[in-house]
Amino acid sequence: MPNADTRVETPRDRRMAVPEGERQYHIGLGPGELAEYILLPGDQDRTSRIASRFDSIEREHRHREFASATGTYKGQRVSVISTGIGTDNVEIVVAEILAITQRPTLIRVGSCGALQPAMRLGDLVITTGAVRLETTTSWYVHDGYPAVADYEAVTALIEAAERLGHRYHVGVTATAPGFYGSQGRPIPQLPIRYPDLAEDMARQRVMNFEMEASALLVFASLAGCRAGVVCTVYANRTTGEFIDGAMKDAAEAACVETGLESLLVLAQIDAQKRTASTDRWRPSLWTT
């Protein structure tokens, strides 16, 4: 037939579970409901505490352990969404964020265990890269693939911590797939394979243990977007100390403040790149 429509519509891959451009199954959000600058706490209850710092809130949502809020902070549109615990949850959240945003900036704000003796409870740790002790990312990349933080995100987190006067350390993080045996913590009822793991990591100058960073950094690298990690020290594996009470609240506040301030710094960096018509920021572009 001369007027027949010969266009062939490519069938959607039936294996695909992430509906791009639609409301997402786990986080329950759709296009336009997240800002491009996003904080990622693990704890869902931390989301409301972060959102309480916003100038205004346009939307709050909660589905399963994924609590989110979008609003403005010091004039900048930002979002926060909890990932829950572990790299498997990070995979879900990052995949669904990518489906409904353009090119998000993702900053994890979390807690960690310190491995170096000079580190104190309540200090911040800014991650430059992560040891992939978990296996979630092995379903995506070669075992030798590095989990590296974006240099702009690292720079912004350092600048934020300096502006706010928070004590911080910068270095390599180890991301474990669990809290007990996979971080070398003894369990009376269960044998563990690597009881000296914390000491081994410390000898390799790893700064801290946590449970989400490597997945975030790998997925962001693969997606071509920007990610960074800042954690506050809740436990010191060298001394056996563990934070609690008012000191814990202050430590969380310092981490959250630093994460939010880093989003403002990154927005400044992006504005400077636009002015200079470049996609790579460098220190000579910095203007206050």
Side-chain angles (χ1 to χ4, degrees):
M1 297 177 62
N3 296 321
D5 188 345
T6 58
R7 291 174 298 178
V8 177
E9 188 172 305
T10 303
R12 185 174 182 274
D13 189 335
R14 294 178 182 176
R15 298 169 299 174
M16 190 177 293
V18 179
E20 188 172 351
E22 301 175 15
R23 190 161 300 281
Q24 298 300 296
Y25 180 73
H26 295 91
I27 64 176
L29 300 173
E33 293 177 348
L34 285 176
E36 293 294 311
Y37 298 89
I38 304 171
L39 286 191
L40 299 176
D43 184 355
Q44 56 192 320
D45 293 331
R46 195 172 291 156
T47 295
S48 59
R49 295 195 290 273
I50 294 172
S52 70
R53 297 172 177 269
F54 290 1
D55 306 327
S56 61
I57 297 174
E58 64 185 70
R59 179 181 177 84
E60 291 183 285
H61 185 74
R62 191 165 186 151
H63 184 232
R64 300 185 179 181
E65 64 264 55
F66 309 116
S68 62
T70 294
T72 58
Y73 179 72
K74 296 185 179 180
Q76 177 64 48
R77 189 171 187 253
V78 298
S79 293
V80 54
I81 179 167
S82 59
T83 63
I85 296 174
T87 55
D88 51 344
N89 275 5
V90 171
E91 178 206 40
I92 290 169
V93 172
V94 172
E96 296 190 0
I97 287 173
L98 292 172
I100 58 172
T101 56
Q102 296 300 312
R103 194 181 179 189
T105 291
L106 306 169
I107 300 293
R108 164 165 157 70
V109 286
S111 59
C112 67
L115 294 172
Q116 298 301 323
M119 299 170 72
R120 306 173 189 167
L121 296 181
D123 283 0
L124 300 179
V125 183
I126 297 169
T127 297
T128 56
V131 182
R132 293 168 50 215
L133 299 177
E134 43 78 27
T135 59
T136 302
T137 52
S138 296
W139 296 97
Y140 292 83
V141 294
H142 188 278
D143 286 346
Y145 190 96
V148 181
D150 183 271
Y151 79 97
E152 291 179 3
V154 173
T155 300
L157 286 164
I158 292 172
E159 176 66 21
E162 287 283 349
R163 287 182 184 182
L164 296 167
H166 296 314
R167 179 179 155 96
Y168 66 93
H169 309 268
V170 180
V172 176
T173 289
T175 298
F179 186 78
Y180 295 103
S182 57
Q183 293 188 34
R185 284 188 169 96
I187 305 173
Q189 300 87 351
L190 299 171
I192 62 173
R193 290 182 64 190
Y194 304 109
D196 300 323
L197 182 61
E199 291 79 6
D200 288 346
M201 291 290 104
R203 279 194 295 272
Q204 296 171 56
R205 298 189 64 81
V206 173
M207 304 296 292
N208 59 325
F209 266 132
E210 57 81 75
M211 296 169 60
E212 288 83 26
S214 64
L216 172 61
L217 300 180
V218 167
F219 297 145
S221 293
L222 292 177
C225 61
R226 195 167 48 184
V229 178
V230 59
C231 290
T232 187
V233 175
Y234 274 10
N236 188 308
R237 298 296 299 277
T238 302
T239 64
E241 297 174 287
F242 207 93
I243 204 167
D244 61 8
M247 189 178 185
K248 182 178 180 181
D249 295 339
E252 179 188 271
C255 187
V256 167
E257 290 167 0
T258 301
L260 285 169
E261 187 69 20
S262 78
L263 294 183
L264 300 182
V265 175
L266 286 162
Q268 287 181 282
I269 285 174
D270 290 342
Q272 291 159 13
K273 289 191 294 188
R274 288 192 295 271
T275 299
S277 299
T278 182
D279 61 354
R280 293 185 178 89
W281 184 83
R282 58 189 186 274
S284 61
L285 296 181
W286 183 258
T287 56
T288 56

